[in-house]
Amino acid sequence: MQRRKISCFLIVCNEADRIEASLKPLAGWVDQLIVLDSGSTDGTVEIAEKYADKVYQTDWPGYGPQRNRALSYCEHDWVLSLDADEVVTEELKGDVDRALSDPDLTANFIKFPWHTYLFGKPLKHGRYSTPQGKLFLKTGAKFKDRSVHETLLMPEFKTITLKGPLLHYSWRDYQHVMDKHLKYGVLGAKDKALNGKKGTIVYAFFRSFVDFFQQYILRLGFLDGQRGLLMAVILSQYAFHKYAALWTLTAKSSPNKIRQSNDE
């Protein structure tokens, strides 16, 4: 059986330093390659145009709405959702080809092993080593309408996990690690505030401790040495930022003010 066709999309902004590494293995392999750019000023669009079938230049409505916008452009039943910091390996491409050529395939959601690199080496334990669902059947699928952590919704999940890895180069340097987790923490707080959630500084401190313990001890992050300790501290800080930001948003702000701030 011929492999089922794949539409692939990336949502990007100012990724000129790494988008080529992501797009190059995809060009000529997937059957439709789409890039949605939201205001890049560093040459990202020009690089994307070398590889993608279509590059759309858009506003930025948030991660969930942008992924749903990209999903609407996908022509084929199977959709691959990637980021500019992710690279598909040849081993993974072979696994995908075999899975989507199986006439008895019943899965509609396919996960990839995720090899996340932190300063030169992959994290083998913890949150950033968990397989990620990146390939899915489009029927009935949509992303949660969130500013960040926009998980996929489907009527029913029938999941398989492949063996070939997806490489993930999330952070350029230490400042990027800090900036990214602070940004995501604040965005997550805004989503929670819009849904009526409230926070306290005491709970923010408590969650920072819990998340450190979970990452470093329960998820065996200590086995990754110094990188594992650093990642546990980063995730502890992320939890604190999220719930501290939630407290600041709900202490004196009305829902309308929160919504306006989120749009900005």
Side-chain angles (χ1 to χ4, degrees):
M1 177 180 174
Q2 186 177 5
R3 192 205 71 191
R4 297 165 177 85
K5 291 186 176 182
I6 302 171
S7 291
C8 176
F9 71 79
L10 291 81
I11 59 173
V12 304
C13 183
N14 288 333
E15 298 283 4
D17 60 327
R18 54 189 185 178
I19 192 172
E20 188 165 27
S22 183
L23 292 176
K24 197 170 183 179
L26 298 169
W29 175 59
V30 296
D31 302 281
Q32 182 190 19
L33 182 53
I34 302 166
V35 174
L36 270 69
D37 180 85
S38 54
S40 291
T41 57
D42 64 348
T44 294
V45 171
E46 290 75 13
I47 296 171
E49 287 174 340
K50 292 167 52 179
Y51 297 97
D53 298 302
K54 184 67 177 180
V55 178
Y56 296 93
Q57 293 178 272
T58 76
D59 62 346
W60 179 247
Y63 284 95
Q66 187 76 328
R67 290 195 192 277
N68 283 324
R69 179 184 282 168
L71 187 59
S72 71
Y73 295 137
C74 293
E75 298 174 354
H76 303 301
D77 291 337
W78 282 91
V79 174
L80 177 61
S81 171
L82 294 178
D83 294 319
D85 59 8
E86 294 174 323
V87 179
V88 174
T89 61
E90 291 301 313
E91 182 183 358
L92 178 55
K93 287 162 68 172
D95 286 351
V96 169
D97 287 342
R98 284 186 287 274
L100 294 190
S101 298
D102 183 355
D104 299 319
L105 178 66
T106 58
N108 62 1
F109 187 65
I110 299 179
K111 291 185 176 183
F112 306 155
W114 211 30
H115 289 189
T116 299
Y117 282 75
L118 180 66
F119 304 127
K121 290 185 178 180
L123 296 167
K124 297 181 180 180
H125 305 88
R127 185 181 302 181
Y128 282 100
S129 64
T130 304
Q132 298 294 301
K134 295 287 184 175
L135 181 62
F136 58 91
L137 198 60
K138 187 172 65 174
T139 305
K142 68 175 182 178
F143 291 91
K144 280 189 177 181
D145 189 13
R146 287 181 174 176
S147 299
V148 70
H149 300 312
E150 61 293 356
T151 52
L152 185 70
L153 302 173
M154 299 185 73
E156 181 183 10
F157 284 91
K158 298 178 181 179
T159 305
I160 59 172
T161 301
L162 305 182
K163 293 183 178 180
L166 177 69
L167 307 183
H168 182 215
Y169 302 97
S170 186
W171 311 290
R172 296 177 173 92
D173 51 36
Y174 184 76
Q175 182 173 339
H176 189 214
V177 175
M178 293 293 102
D179 290 346
K180 191 170 184 178
H181 281 85
L182 176 58
K183 175 184 175 182
Y184 282 12
V186 173
L187 287 173
K190 290 176 180 178
D191 281 342
K192 286 181 177 295
L194 286 171
N195 288 320
K197 304 294 184 181
K198 294 184 178 181
T200 67
I201 295 299
V202 172
Y203 185 72
F205 180 79
F206 170 74
R207 276 300 301 263
S208 70
F209 174 79
V210 169
D211 284 29
F212 175 88
F213 183 79
Q214 183 181 58
Q215 173 71 15
Y216 195 63
I217 303 297
L218 299 184
R219 293 186 173 182
L220 306 180
F222 65 89
L223 294 177
D224 282 320
Q226 293 187 84
R227 288 175 176 81
L229 177 59
L230 176 59
M231 195 72 252
V233 172
I234 289 168
L235 291 175
S236 173
Q237 291 173 324
Y238 167 73
F240 181 84
H241 290 321
K242 180 166 61 176
Y243 289 98
L246 177 60
W247 174 74
T248 66
L249 287 169
T250 56
K252 295 183 179 180
S253 297
S254 69
N256 287 336
K257 288 182 179 179
I258 295 168
R259 184 173 292 107
Q260 183 180 3
S261 175
N262 206 24
D263 292 340
E264 291 172 356

